[in-house]
Amino acid sequence: MTNQSYYQARELEEEWNEKMLAVAQESPVESGGFHILFDRSPDIFTIPKLTSYRYRCGGLFRKDEMLGYAIATFQKRYIYHQRLANVMYVGNMHVKEEGRGAGFFYRMSNFFFGGLDPDVEYFYAYIMENNEPALNLVNRRHPRFPDAPYAKKVGLISMVNILLTIPVRMSRKYTVRTATYDDIDPIVELLQEEYSIRFLAPEMNRDIFLRNLKQRPNFGIENYAVALTGNQIVGVCSCWDMTSFKKNRVLKYGVAFGMIRLLYNAGAPLLGIPSLPSPGEAFRDITIAEYAVKDREPAIMEALLRYAYNEFKRQEYHSIILGASVDDPLLSFTKNFYTKHVRSHVVLGSMQWEKLVEKENIPLIYADAVQI
């Protein structure tokens, strides 16, 4: 038997959902002493459907054993100067321990990149900052696998976890309230203005906004909060409980944070806050799915987050999660909260190296908290 027939890349349809979730369970992510399971049960295809106009899933098999899989989602994203382009996001990549070292990415390269529609200008992926094995593969092309794309690291993003502990004071400068349907036009205008300057931000217009309201599970106009000065809407963010299909489980806390968790839980009854979950249990998280503020003013962003913080603390959530580029001045507001930052490299790929030559240290890269 040849090595090529020993390993096979196969298309995975939705009937593979349960087996794919089992592979993910066997391959948690390790970061800073944490072992984290990004649990996408009950349906791993929910997020790809919500974030793309088309998706494709492939698995690597050794004989009849699935060693791992990845999902490619095809999207329209902003690139430069308010220009939209077709891109492919490669995510939800999970490889079982016995499949590591088998060259998963190379062996899947023909499946995902061979004969790809030339309209797809770029590929992108996120790799956690301390995932050295994966980072060492960036732009390591192999003559046996000519369909592997050129790639390079182009920036850093952070998933900011804001723990909900003691109440915080509301902004005195801005009024924040729940959005209504009458607010849609100014909300869309703010989001369009923000997204058009953000590398890899999604397409946004009124039709897409209304489609999101209709298609997203457990989501409606009431999930948006707006900040006002006088009668003018100057900021917006959406607050979405995605835990029915997107959960974060810490399987192992690590020594340092394990001690912090014990102290935190000891004081939780006195503070009237929920205890941090035991290993394997899911956090109750709120995801900031979109946000935009006039003139990118950090004080407006802080006003929105203070409102969301108090609202969801009352509902006994553990944390709020939002994504940001690490160079984003809007992150300055986080100094007023207890936060944990999980940073990832943004890897950009293309079949043509010349399209990547000048792409490095890209400012204000969009960090998509919905799909990560």
Side-chain angles (χ1 to χ4, degrees), residues 99-173:
R100 295 170 191 176
F104 175 85
F105 178 75
Y106 293 119
R107 296 187 187 281
M108 295 299 298
S109 59
N110 177 262
F111 178 89
F112 284 117
F113 305 106
L116 194 64
D117 189 329
D119 287 346
V120 178
E121 291 192 43
Y122 292 104
F123 324 115
Y124 73 102
Y126 306 114
I127 301 178
M128 294 182 76
E129 190 175 35
N130 58 354
N131 187 348
E132 292 301 327
L135 290 170
N136 288 336
L137 291 175
V138 174
N139 211 40
R140 284 182 58 182
R141 305 184 82 239
H142 195 291
R144 286 180 53 209
F145 302 99
D147 293 311
Y150 296 98
K152 67 189 300 186
K153 294 178 288 185
V154 296
L156 273 171
I157 60 169
S158 180
M159 288 295 109
V160 185
N161 291 262
I162 302 173
L163 276 179
L164 306 181
T165 54
I166 61 174
V168 297
R169 189 176 64 186
M170 299 290 281
S171 170
R172 295 178 178 176
K173 185 175 181 180

Side-chain angles (χ1 to χ4, degrees), residues 7 15 17 54 70 87 89 93 98 103 116 152 154 169 198 204 241-242 263 266 270 289 334 336 362 366:
Y7 293 100
E15 58 264 28
N17 178 64
R54 179 169 70 89
V87 301
Y89 168 61
M93 187 181 296
E98 57 265 38
L116 194 64
K152 67 189 300 186
V154 296
R169 189 176 64 186
R198 302 287 299 276
M204 176 54 66
D241 182 349
M242 301 178 67
L263 294 172
L270 299 174
T334 60
N336 296 314
I362 298 175
Y366 185 79

Side-chain angles (χ1 to χ4, degrees), residues 73-75 77 79 85-89 120-122 124 200:
T73 55
F74 297 85
Q75 310 164 333
R77 297 273 165 152
I79 301 298
N86 292 306
V87 301
M88 184 175 85
Y89 168 61
V120 178
E121 291 192 43
Y122 292 104
Y124 73 102
L200 294 177

Side-chain angles (χ1 to χ4, degrees), residues 1-17:
M1 179 180 291
T2 67
N3 203 34
Q4 289 167 324
S5 60
Y6 192 63
Y7 293 100
Q8 288 186 338
R10 301 180 190 172
E11 189 97 30
L12 299 180
E13 303 292 349
E14 292 188 32
E15 58 264 28
W16 284 88
N17 178 64

